[in-house]
Amino acid sequence: MTEIETASPEETEALAARLASFLGPGDVVTVSGELGAGKTTFVRGACRALGVTGPVTSPTFTIGHRYEGRIPVSHLDLFRFASVSPAEWGDLEPYFDGAVCFVEWPEAAGVGLPQARVAVRLRHVDPEHRLVMFETQEKALLEGVF
Ligand code: ADP
Ligand code: MG
């Protein structure tokens, strides 16, 4: 577990961009934290670094977005799920196929969620500052990002 404080949305995006350079198709990154913590901001920064040029917004009224960057990128938001049923997993699974997949509100997914390569957690410090925590088994990845 490694943590860093960011002082602006731009800093959070830049941190996410550094992580993005280590990611490839099949990687899952969970992004947790309360409303307004900066989850979507983090995902946006990673998406920009992966070559996504269009809008990156929280897919609150759909299950997810799929973006075309230099590699495919998926963006799921499970906020409206209390838990994910097997039938719903059928709709979610294609998002993980051949893409880097960012998952906001991963708690709802339960055991069905593929193993995350990195678990990111964001926490409010004050209106401009956020604590960003990374959890991964890969020491080399953390050393590369920080
Ligand atoms: P979430 O997806 O967690 O609900 P968003 O990324 O949509 O959060 O919103 C975060 C809000 O907080 C944005 O309005 C953003 O501009 C603001 N913000 C202020 N400081 C930061 C920071 N250091 N990092 C990320 N977002 C920040
Ligand atoms: Mg969001």
Side-chain angles (χ1 to χ4, degrees), residues 17-69:
R18 290 208 296 279
L19 171 64
S21 66
F22 293 89
L23 301 176
D27 287 339
V28 175
V29 177
T30 58
V31 188
S32 318
E34 58 201 354
L35 271 175
K39 300 181 295 298
T40 300
T41 301
F42 186 93
V43 174
R44 185 177 303 119
C47 285
R48 292 285 175 258
L50 290 167
V52 177
T53 53
V56 174
T57 55
S58 233
T60 304
F61 300 104
T62 63
I63 292 178
H65 294 313
R66 187 141 174 149
Y67 311 113
E68 281 310 316

Side-chain angles (χ1 to χ4, degrees), residues 20-121:
S21 66
F22 293 89
L23 301 176
D27 287 339
V28 175
V29 177
T30 58
V31 188
S32 318
E34 58 201 354
L35 271 175
K39 300 181 295 298
T40 300
T41 301
F42 186 93
V43 174
R44 185 177 303 119
C47 285
R48 292 285 175 258
L50 290 167
V52 177
T53 53
V56 174
T57 55
S58 233
T60 304
F61 300 104
T62 63
I63 292 178
H65 294 313
R66 187 141 174 149
Y67 311 113
E68 281 310 316
R70 280 186 297 283
I71 53 175
V73 184
S74 293
H75 182 189
L76 301 180
D77 188 319
L78 305 181
F79 179 65
R80 64 196 181 84
F81 290 88
S83 65
V84 179
S85 71
E88 288 162 337
W89 267 115
D91 294 331
L92 289 177
E93 265 163 5
Y95 286 98
F96 294 92
D97 264 356
V100 177
C101 191
F102 294 94
V103 186
E104 295 189 44
W105 297 100
E107 296 78 8
V111 294
L113 189 70
Q115 174 71 42
R117 187 164 172 214
V118 186
V120 179
R121 286 191 185 77

